[in-house]
Amino acid sequence: MVDNEVEDVIRQIERRISRLEGVLHLEKMITESGGKIFATNGKRADFHATMKKCKEAGGSIATPRNPGENDAILYFVKSFNAYAYLGIKESLIPSKFQFLDGTQLTYTNWYLHEPSGKGEE
């Protein structure tokens, strides 16, 4: 009997999550790629506030590691007509970039002659 009750609760939670995800998709606040969920609150903020909000939500700032993840981030850029912060920083070597944890980038999709070092990458 207990197992059936637990299964019923799990199914109810799954339905609620599915409905919420549907609403977020309609509002262009969430998208997926490769099993990862990318989300936004649609508000403008500086880099540090963005990192803080991501951490509070149990996630991290977006770091595109393949074309699909890059497209997921681009979805928000196009939907909100705004730039997006990425979890990437310039390394100690000028014009070389790395993930925030210091590991080397394994995927990039820079425009020709970018990053240019003008601070607007």
Side-chain angles (χ1 to χ4, degrees):
M1 184 78 165
V2 173
D3 286 342
N4 287 340
E5 290 175 8
V6 170
E7 288 177 15
D8 286 343
V9 169
I10 290 171
R11 277 194 291 280
Q12 289 173 12
I13 291 170
E14 287 173 339
R15 281 194 295 274
R16 291 179 70 191
I17 290 170
S18 180
R19 282 195 305 256
L20 289 170
E21 285 179 342
V23 169
L24 292 172
H25 278 289
L26 288 173
E27 296 292 323
K28 298 183 179 179
M29 305 297 268
I30 190 172
T31 191
E32 300 173 56
S33 178
K36 291 183 182 177
I37 296 175
F38 294 82
T40 182
N41 63 9
K43 297 178 182 176
R44 295 180 188 265
D46 65 30
F47 183 75
H48 295 290
T50 300
M51 285 190 43
K52 182 180 176 189
K53 283 291 183 191
C54 290
K55 187 175 181 178
E56 287 172 0
S60 61
I61 195 163
T63 54
R65 296 179 188 266
N66 59 54
E69 292 178 8
N70 193 70
D71 288 345
I73 298 163
L74 190 57
Y75 167 81
F76 294 125
V77 170
K78 290 179 178 179
S79 294
F80 292 92
N81 192 30
Y83 291 108
Y85 292 114
L86 302 175
I88 296 171
K89 65 180 181 177
E90 192 166 12
S91 72
L92 296 175
I93 302 167
S95 299
K96 297 290 181 189
F97 287 77
Q98 60 192 17
F99 291 112
L100 295 179
D101 66 6
T103 59
Q104 184 177 352
L105 296 180
T106 55
Y107 166 80
T108 61
N109 189 27
W110 302 110
Y111 284 125
L112 186 63
H113 306 298
E114 293 292 348
S116 63
K118 295 179 182 174
E120 299 178 0
E121 277 70 37

